[in-house]
Structure formats: C-alpha cells, structure tokens
Amino acid sequence: MKLTIVAATGGIGRHLVEQAVADGHDVTAVARRPRELPASVRAVAVDLTRPDMPTLAAAVRGADAVLSALGPRNPRTDAGITSRGTREIVAAMHAEHVRRIIIVSAAPVGPVPVPGQPTPPRHDPGDGFFMRHLGVPFTRAMFGRHYADLALTEQTLRDSELQWTVSRPPKLTDKPLTGRYRTAWNRNIRGGFSVSRADVAHHMLAMVNQPDTIEQVVGIAN
C-alpha cells in the first residue's frame, strides 16, 4: 500500500514509519526535520505551523491512506497546531482526490464542546468513576486548550466528507510494541489509563484496511 505519514518523526509517527516499512508499504514521510527519517522512505519537508500547500499536496498524491500523528510538542503552550495542520492536510487530500485518513486525538476529548457539537455528553460513556471525577477534570485543567483544539480537529474530519477514523488513546508511554490492546468504538476504554505509542501506531496501520472503522472514533488502551 502507498501510505503518507504526517509528523513522521514524532513519538507515534516514528513508530508508524518503522512498522509501515517493516510491513512492506510504500511510505512517504512528512516531517519538519526529514533528515531524521530512514533512507527507505520518501521524505518530504513540511512545517505544518507554516504549511506549504503545493509540497503537502505532492506528499499525499496517489496515497491509499494518510496517517497523521500531528500534535504539539508542548500541549500547554502550542495549542492550535493540530487543528490548523489537519485543515491543511484535508485540503491537500481534496486537491489530490485522496480519501482515507486516520488521525490521533486523545481520550478526554469526547465531552469537549465545539461548534458542530455544542452540547456533547457530560462524560465519555467508557469512563469509570475515577476518570469522570478526578482524572478528566485534572487533565482538562492542565491541557484544556489542547483538548479544545483536538475537538476542533475531529470536527474538521466530520465535516470533511473524507473516509476518516479518529484514534483516541489515553496517556501515552514509550513501552515496546505488544500488539495486545483493547479497543472500543465511540467510547474510551474502562480502566484503560495508558497505551504505548508503538501500539497506537500498530492499531492505526491495522485500521487502514478495516472499512468498518470509517467515520468512527475508536478508543484504545493497554
């Protein structure tokens, strides 16, 4: 398969690249610092804080799917990057008639209001007592602007008319790939407090060929 991976040198992106290459896919890797990418991929330099639409369009041209691990380096100070960058990715995909996209969001995003969903559920249906009353309020107090931006990112996909899927992991870790994780559609994972970046990448790649995940939000946790 021909895959374009965005934010290819980030925490999840590097695992996407490594696993996609190992699986024999034809990979175009989009990154701010492409010199960090392996020689086995087509590397494209794009800074999505200052998008270059012709270069981005060329990067997605002919792709069977786009996988985006785009996110801020510092969620407390760099909010806004993900929604802006995703809008550019969607525009490039429309220009090149590419349909399939899978992105990374975050578990606390579900109850965050956006213009398209001004009255979301008060709690994610998968969250237990601890997450509803302690975990989620704490993380929103710390990273509220980041989650609001991710909610806008998800809204961009819902409005895009593309074949989109959103992956919502909880706390990300650097533990090794296991290939063993729990998933659920349109809800978080009960008792799922963390997941490795490697396993998130593994699941994103698996969903490329799962048409039943199109237009779905998928929770994942170890």
Side-chain angles (χ1 to χ4, degrees):
M1 254 189 159
K2 188 172 182 181
L3 303 177
T4 297
I5 297 172
V6 180
T9 57
I12 294 173
R14 61 188 173 85
H15 289 290
L16 283 169
V17 171
E18 178 182 324
Q19 293 176 30
V21 169
D23 287 344
H25 295 296
D26 179 355
V27 176
T28 296
V30 176
R32 185 183 301 181
R33 300 178 302 278
R35 63 182 178 276
E36 299 176 14
L37 291 163
S40 55
V41 305
R42 175 188 172 222
V44 179
V46 176
D47 181 352
L48 283 168
T49 64
R50 296 184 293 274
D52 175 351
M53 179 54 66
T55 303
L56 188 57
V60 305
R61 186 172 299 145
D64 295 301
V66 174
L67 298 100
S68 174
L70 184 62
R73 291 183 179 181
N74 186 331
R76 299 185 68 181
T77 61
D78 297 338
I81 289 173
T82 310
S83 62
R84 291 196 304 269
T86 301
R87 285 194 295 270
E88 296 297 325
I89 295 167
V90 167
M93 291 177 66
H94 278 301
E96 296 298 329
H97 308 288
V98 176
R99 300 284 296 153
R100 187 76 171 106
I101 180 170
I102 301 172
I103 72 158
V104 178
S105 182
V109 169
V112 177
V114 290
Q117 289 187 317
T119 55
R122 184 176 179 185
H123 302 291
D124 186 281
D127 287 342
F129 180 87
F130 174 83
M131 288 303 296
R132 290 185 180 194
H133 298 285
L134 294 173
V136 171
F138 174 77
T139 56
R140 284 195 191 142
M142 293 290 290
F143 306 114
R145 291 178 60 217
H146 173 52
Y147 294 138
D149 188 59
L150 289 178
L152 287 172
T153 299
E154 293 187 10
Q155 184 65 43
T156 295
L157 291 190
R158 286 192 293 270
D159 294 340
S160 70
E161 300 183 353
L162 297 176
Q163 296 176 349
W164 57 268
T165 304
V166 172
S167 175
R168 280 191 190 160
K171 179 183 177 182
L172 295 167
T173 74
D174 288 321
K175 292 181 179 180
L177 173 67
T178 67
R180 299 186 299 275
Y181 40 78
R182 295 175 290 154
T183 61
W185 287 2
N186 302 308
R187 64 178 58 222
N188 293 334
I189 307 299
R190 183 64 60 94
F193 300 113
S194 67
V195 65
S196 73
R197 292 175 173 87
D199 278 336
V200 173
H202 184 271
H203 186 235
M204 290 176 70
L205 286 166
M207 289 193 293
V208 170
N209 286 317
Q210 294 174 357
D212 55 351
T213 64
I214 292 172
E215 296 188 7
Q216 300 291 335
V217 173
V218 184
I220 178 172
N222 287 132

